[in-house]
Amino acid sequence: MAISSKLPHHLNFIRTFVNAKVKWVRDPHLDIAVQKEKDLKQTISLKNQIISSPSKSLSLSAASLLKPLLDLHTTTTKFIQNYPSVVSQFQPSPGLPPRIKLTPQAWALHKEELAIHSSPTHRDDTVKRLAKLLMLTGSSRLPFYVIEKLKWDLGLPHNYVTTLLADYPEYFEVCGVEDSLTGTEVLALKLVLWRQDLVVSELEKRAMNWDTNGSRKRHEIAFKMCLPKGFDLEKKIETWVEEWQKLPYISPYENAFHLAPNSDQAEKWTVAVLHELLWLFVSKKTERENLFCLAEYLGFGSLRFKKALVHHPGIFYVSNKIRTTTVVLREAYRRDLLVEKHPLMGLRYRYIHLMNKTQKHKQAIVSAKSQQRG
């Protein structure tokens, strides 16, 4: 966070969350938004491994060793067989071991992906979002292994250190830091200079747009609530939320750690940070463990993030699909579709379409065989 004067003491009052349990209600549309990206990250990661090879192909034996790196839930060979529309097997010549390569359709999508990553507009947007992420930390720096966890969510190119960061020395530099979690020395990315032009959060930006005079006060900024149909909060919780929404909005780029951690005002600031974090991601969602990891580096600790997610189901949705737990920013979606689709997300949906071609073809074959047996 920026090193600035503390916020007024009159904001530091304590009102603890009402003693009532906020029930979890499944949102089928947001579950679909998560479910349809099943195996997408792993497929694109495998694609990147293939194109990183000088021959633009990998031996099947070499690919089999990638299972831990790709975080596959099955063998690499089985995974490749599931998506022949993306990756195909071939034998270079008789007697040589089989290899894998991208299909022409996957190559075409990869070229479009490269075009997006090399676009000046996209590069500028990516750099600014990464800078804002660093500004949310207390020291304007993050270990590279943390950034690697968020690489997919931030929409960073495969070799982002050499293809992106190296071109922006006025923004970033590499440094060594003591990892607060392990106590060891690790490499980190540091923001060279605090960027005052970037300290406006998404909610503040909207408030400025709503107010033609640009004078909307922060206490008028509230979070958009998007409770699913049929979801009703208990009356005492609903009343608490209404009062909580009226509390002054504190920018996530300000330092408000002087507030009592259990106060409602502190929780509103925590929610503001979570909201801004999710907004920086191209899909407006991420795995819950990524947020908990970030919580430690932002100085909150995972418990404060956990409470904020549980207390505010109208702002955040937690999905348990595709073998993980994903936090989704509700307002960013209309049913299962993003309201504002980042160019990279448009391309990812086309990868999904290509992957699903295989599944639909398999289903058609199985159906045909069943009819024949019948």
Side-chain angles (χ1 to χ4, degrees), residues 22-31 224-233 312-318 330-331 333 335:
V22 182
K23 63 178 180 178
W24 180 86
V25 176
R26 181 171 173 266
D27 188 321
H29 299 302
L30 293 183
D31 277 341
K224 187 174 181 180
M225 304 292 286
C226 308
L227 288 169
K229 189 175 182 180
F231 184 96
D232 294 316
L233 290 173
H312 302 283
I315 303 172
F316 310 110
Y317 177 67
V318 180
R330 280 191 181 275
E331 67 177 83
Y333 284 81
R335 296 174 71 87

Side-chain angles (χ1 to χ4, degrees), residues 263-281:
S263 67
D264 287 352
Q265 182 64 69
E267 182 163 305
K268 186 162 186 178
W269 180 53
T270 303
V271 170
V273 172
L274 275 168
H275 184 283
E276 185 72 357
L277 276 173
L278 289 168
W279 197 266
L280 293 179
F281 300 147

Side-chain angles (χ1 to χ4, degrees), residues 149-166:
K149 289 177 180 287
L150 303 168
K151 176 180 172 180
W152 173 260
D153 302 309
L154 288 166
L156 297 177
H158 178 51
N159 298 315
Y160 67 95
V161 175
T162 55
T163 61
L164 183 70
L165 302 186

Side-chain angles (χ1 to χ4, degrees), residues 321-363:
K321 295 296 182 180
I322 60 173
R323 304 177 301 277
T324 188
T325 304
T326 305
V327 178
V328 185
L329 184 61
R330 280 191 181 275
E331 67 177 83
Y333 284 81
R334 182 175 295 117
R335 296 174 71 87
D336 64 315
L337 299 175
L338 280 164
V339 176
E340 297 179 20
K341 189 161 52 180
H342 189 281
L344 208 53
M345 288 306 299
L347 189 69
R348 287 179 183 178
Y349 290 155
R350 292 175 62 192
Y351 273 111
I352 293 171
H353 179 70
L354 183 61
M355 293 164 65
N356 286 343
K357 275 187 177 181
T358 303
Q359 301 301 318
K360 289 177 181 177
H361 180 64
K362 284 183 177 180
Q363 290 170 4

